[in-house]
Amino acid sequence: MARYGMVVDVTRCNGCYNCFLACKDEHCEQAHPGYTAPQPMTGQAWMKIVPKERGQFPKVKQDYIAMPCMHCDAPACASGTNGGVYKRADGIVMIDPQRAAGQQEIVTKCPYRVIYWNEQENVGQKCTFCAHLLDAGWKEPRCVEACPTGTLIFGDLDDPESPVSKALASGRAEVLHPEYGLGEKVRFIGLPKNFVAGSVVFGDTDECATGVTVTLVGEDHTKTTQTDAFGDFEFEDLPANKWFKITVSAPSCDTQELEVRTTSSLYLGDIVL
Ligand code: SF4
Ligand code: SF4
């Protein structure tokens, strides 16, 4: 028996919504008896694409986080549902359309907010990893099959040769909200973190300052970089809400120092030497 999981490589996602549409094609207005009631054409996103914009003009980055149900080992949505929400032996968390009928409160039990209420069917609904297809011999859900960039990596967590096990073995995958402590079986590579960027200019010539040393020092971080051909620098993957000192120095110029706090991703503008 397989134990299914997914890794979402955020660095590969271009926000094309193919996964979302494949899910719609598979589930909208068609029931899969024993698995799911029909998904309505609008108002639900079993595979939700969450856009994340970071930075300020002209240094802006756009990421997309593809977010299905996390198929938690300890699903918060299942408590008190009398079997309305249950976990299969392969780890897939399911909502039984009959037993969970009328239990509107399950929508708010999920801290990831990936359960949607279907008024017409009188039941909560969410991603099933296309369990009806896996049981019929498919190797992956429709969203994974439809993704053109390899963002969605799916397979058997107990098979060390499966794509998902190999992605997890990279050590780069993390839980979206570890503070929930639900044993989430969907993990993410490259979740967008805060960055600090800026541009360095020589005051006397008004030229881009190329090859200037920029150092960032914080509680647990020391990073050094050089400005590029446009005088730009950037420090990625910084923790949120921490203070950092940025030092910009070049021979024969006064050193510039700035204190920044990573309340968000920051573009510091022109720093004049
Ligand atoms: Fe339940 Fe939410 Fe976990 Fe999915 S992500 S299993 S809906 S608690
Ligand atoms: Fe991202 Fe793949 Fe979904 Fe397109 S299909 S939005 S690339 S996860």
Side-chain angles (χ1 to χ4, degrees):
M1 165 79 59
R3 196 171 56 89
Y4 292 113
M6 183 184 281
V7 168
V8 178
D9 185 345
V10 179
T11 65
R12 295 182 176 205
C13 181
N14 60 17
C16 69
Y17 277 79
N18 272 6
C19 51
F20 170 89
L21 290 171
C23 178
K24 292 279 169 199
D25 184 55
E26 187 61 34
H27 295 281
C28 277
E29 298 189 336
Q30 53 181 333
H32 297 296
Y35 297 90
T36 46
Q39 184 187 137
M41 288 297 280
T42 57
Q44 298 200 10
W46 295 6
M47 174 55 91
K48 181 163 61 175
I49 309 298
V50 182
K52 288 272 177 199
E53 191 179 290
R54 296 179 289 152
Q56 297 91 39
F57 178 82
K59 191 73 177 177
V60 178
K61 297 188 185 195
Q62 180 70 57
D63 293 287
Y64 301 91
I65 302 175
M67 220 177 101
C69 163
M70 305 291 144
H71 295 280
C72 307
D73 271 335
C77 55
S79 70
T81 61
N82 295 320
V85 182
Y86 63 99
K87 195 168 64 159
R88 304 189 345 163
D90 58 11
I92 297 177
V93 176
M94 299 290 291
I95 299 174
D96 183 315
Q98 279 76 46
R99 296 194 72 164
Q103 297 186 30
Q104 195 159 2
E105 65 280 4
I106 68 170
V107 171
T108 50
K109 283 183 179 171
C110 170
Y112 285 97
R113 294 291 188 268
V114 291
I115 302 180
Y116 303 85
W117 186 249
N118 185 328
E119 199 65 52
Q120 193 177 333
E121 301 289 337
N122 192 33
V123 75
Q125 295 184 290
K126 65 168 193 66
C127 159
T128 64
F129 274 168
C130 287
H132 62 294
L133 295 179
L134 298 176
D135 288 353
W138 284 52
K139 295 277 178 261
E140 54 194 23
R142 286 285 307 274
C143 57
V144 178
E145 187 196 53
C147 176
T149 64
T151 298
L152 306 176
I153 305 163
F154 181 80
D156 181 0
L157 297 168
D158 291 334
D159 174 4
E161 294 305 314
S162 72
V164 72
S165 294
K166 287 180 178 171
L168 288 169
S170 72
R172 295 188 298 140
E174 57 186 320
V175 171
L176 187 57
H177 286 291
E179 68 275 17
Y180 296 161
L182 300 177
E184 293 88 335
K185 289 199 298 302
V186 176
R187 308 255 165 138
F188 297 82
I189 288 175
L191 282 171
K193 308 272 195 320
N194 287 339
F195 68 81
V196 173
S199 304
V200 186
V201 179
F202 288 125
D204 52 354
T205 60
D206 211 20
E207 296 273 332
C208 300
T210 303
V212 164
T213 301
V214 185
T215 306
L216 171 139
V217 179
E219 225 171 71
D220 314 311
H221 282 71
T222 299
K223 296 184 177 189
T224 299
T225 189
Q226 306 268 310
T227 54
D228 63 16
F230 303 100
D232 293 340
F233 69 88
E234 178 185 313
F235 296 102
E236 255 287 14
D237 290 332
L238 298 175
N241 289 315
K242 296 282 182 193
W243 283 99
F244 292 96
K245 186 158 101 177
I246 309 266
T247 306
V248 184
S249 54
S252 315
C253 294
D254 289 341
T255 296
Q256 295 285 348
E257 288 185 349
L258 298 93
E259 299 265 345
V260 297
R261 188 169 174 219
T262 49
T263 48
S264 63
S265 289
L266 302 170
Y267 177 63
L268 303 175
D270 286 348
I271 299 168
V272 181
L273 288 183

